[in-house]
Amino acid sequence: MEVQLVTDIQKYSIHDGEGIRTTIFFKGCPLSCIWCHNPETQEYGQQFMWNQEKCAGCGECAAACPSGAVSMDGHRPVTDENKCGICHTCEEYCLQNAREFAGREYTVEELAAEAVKDQPFYEQSHGGVTLSGGEVLARDMDFVERLMLELTKRGIRVNVDTCGYIPWKNIERIIPYTDTFLYDIKLMDSRLHQEMTGVGNEEILENLIRLSKSKAAIWIRIPVVGGVNDTDRNMEETLEFLSSHAISPKWIHLLPYHNTGSGKYPRLGQKYQGRDLTTPKGSRMQELLDMCLARGYQAGIGG
């Protein structure tokens, strides 16, 4: 039975499209944004996460591990991920919930069953399901299409949140099942885009042009990071790009940077690269918003 890795199923989400939604976060992303607040979704495979602050150093995880992957260094458990079979035994024996594995396997049927539980809320609010990540369109497209078809058959509207850095054929394939695309534009300077996300932006922008020509409904989402892309120049170039290619998004959402995901990095054994990034002041966000409104776009902060 075919499965895909999902890191979270977030119920009663109000920031991933219209109405009340269930957002499904798939694991794996072709970008590595230095400000990413869901770093556990970047890698395509399951990952071990350890919360040092919760750990009591009791040693139950080491005693229970059937593969000998966990040992104790004093009161500190040490995990050899080369030996780890991801059997979840240590997770089950941890009384403090300090150990977990990012990514759980789901079938299409299991995800659809979770989504349909809140269908009355979708119907009352014009909401639905949002497929996010990571990057859902970088996963097995047979799986993604079957899931979207299953949700559509049940009368559930489906949004797709995408970074745009995927083959066009993947996007084109699911246009018939997609109510709205939530499309990220991070930076117009491709060199800086490469520096901040690990890839250039040429394919992202080209896919957006093609998506717009398909007449799909699009919401543009711009993560606004202080000192990176909160400049007049970047916003002007973004708006000019949209205008020059006759791209008419239903909404432009400006998303102020936050570092709420920084605590996940040490749990993954990683260092957070965005420590010098800042959240733009409210007045600056308003200035950028006014630039969008002046061009005639429907826009807002957050969402």
Side-chain angles (χ1 to χ4, degrees):
M1 185 176 296
E2 190 175 3
V3 296
Q4 288 292 302
L5 289 175
V6 168
T7 61
D8 192 18
I9 300 176
Q10 182 176 302
K11 300 296 187 76
Y12 211 88
S13 174
I14 57 173
H15 298 297
D16 295 315
E18 189 175 359
I20 297 170
R21 315 194 67 82
T22 293
T23 302
I24 301 173
F25 294 88
F26 284 80
K27 205 168 186 323
C29 184
L31 272 60
S32 52
C33 304
I34 66 170
W35 56 76
C36 181
H37 59 274
N38 289 322
E40 75 281 8
T41 67
Q42 290 187 10
E43 296 292 331
Y44 286 86
Q46 285 185 316
Q47 290 172 281
F48 170 66
M49 298 180 72
W50 176 57
N51 191 326
Q52 183 176 0
E53 294 180 358
K54 286 185 177 181
C55 181
C58 65
E60 290 291 331
C61 53
C65 179
S67 62
V70 186
S71 59
M72 296 300 295
D73 181 7
H75 291 288
R76 175 190 172 93
V78 177
T79 302
D80 184 343
E81 296 192 41
N82 291 323
K83 292 183 179 180
C84 179
I86 314 181
C87 66
H88 298 274
T89 302
C90 66
E91 185 179 14
E92 294 167 3
Y93 275 78
C94 181
L95 302 178
Q96 286 73 35
N97 296 318
R99 304 176 71 84
E100 62 180 310
F101 290 86
R104 175 187 162 186
E105 292 182 340
Y106 283 89
T107 65
V108 165
E109 292 73 22
E110 288 171 334
L111 289 175
E114 276 298 315
V116 79
K117 291 178 182 178
D118 289 333
Q119 192 160 6
F121 296 108
Y122 312 150
E123 294 171 352
Q124 294 170 16
S125 66
H126 201 72
V129 170
T130 297
L131 305 183
S132 187
E135 174 54 61
V136 60
L137 301 185
R139 303 303 303 176
D140 179 351
M141 290 304 299
D142 287 341
F143 183 99
V144 174
E145 185 177 23
R146 284 200 302 273
L147 174 59
M148 296 184 74
L149 180 59
E150 184 65 29
L151 294 172
T152 302
K153 284 180 178 178
R154 296 173 184 239
I156 298 174
R157 298 180 182 87
V158 185
N159 287 357
V160 171
D161 182 7
T162 180
C163 70
Y165 191 73
I166 59 270
W168 166 249
K169 64 180 181 180
N170 291 12
I171 301 175
E172 186 178 35
R173 183 170 175 177
I174 51 86
I175 288 176
Y177 314 111
T178 305
D179 187 64
T180 303
F181 285 89
L182 311 179
Y183 203 103
D184 287 1
I185 298 181
K186 296 176 172 65
L187 284 153
M188 293 304 294
D189 182 322
S190 188
R191 180 196 60 78
L192 188 56
H193 196 285
Q194 170 87 38
E195 181 181 337
M196 293 293 160
T197 73
V199 302
N201 66 3
E202 291 82 4
E203 184 173 11
I204 294 169
L205 298 180
E206 180 59 32
N207 281 339
L208 178 55
I209 293 171
R210 299 176 78 170
L211 184 61
S212 175
K213 289 179 179 179
S214 78
K215 305 302 180 182
I218 301 170
W219 287 14
I220 296 296
R221 306 220 288 189
I222 304 175
V224 183
V225 185
V228 177
N229 67 343
D230 63 336
T231 62
D232 284 0
R233 177 177 179 178
N234 185 71
M235 182 55 70
E236 288 169 354
E237 290 181 352
T238 301
L239 298 174
E240 180 58 32
F241 171 82
L242 297 176
S243 175
S244 64
H245 293 285
I247 299 171
S248 301
K250 294 174 65 176
W251 274 96
I252 296 177
H253 285 282
L254 307 181
L255 311 177
Y257 162 77
H258 60 77
N259 67 351
T260 54
S262 60
K264 296 180 181 179
Y265 286 81
R267 290 162 57 191
L268 288 163
Q270 300 173 3
K271 182 179 179 181
Y272 182 54
Q273 300 296 321
R275 295 191 180 278
D276 295 331
L277 302 177
T278 60
T279 301
K281 293 181 179 179
S283 58
R284 183 55 184 154
M285 293 297 301
Q286 185 62 51
E287 290 170 352
L288 296 174
L289 175 62
D290 289 343
M291 293 174 69
C292 298
L293 298 175
R295 289 276 197 136
Y297 293 106
Q298 185 166 267
I301 298 172

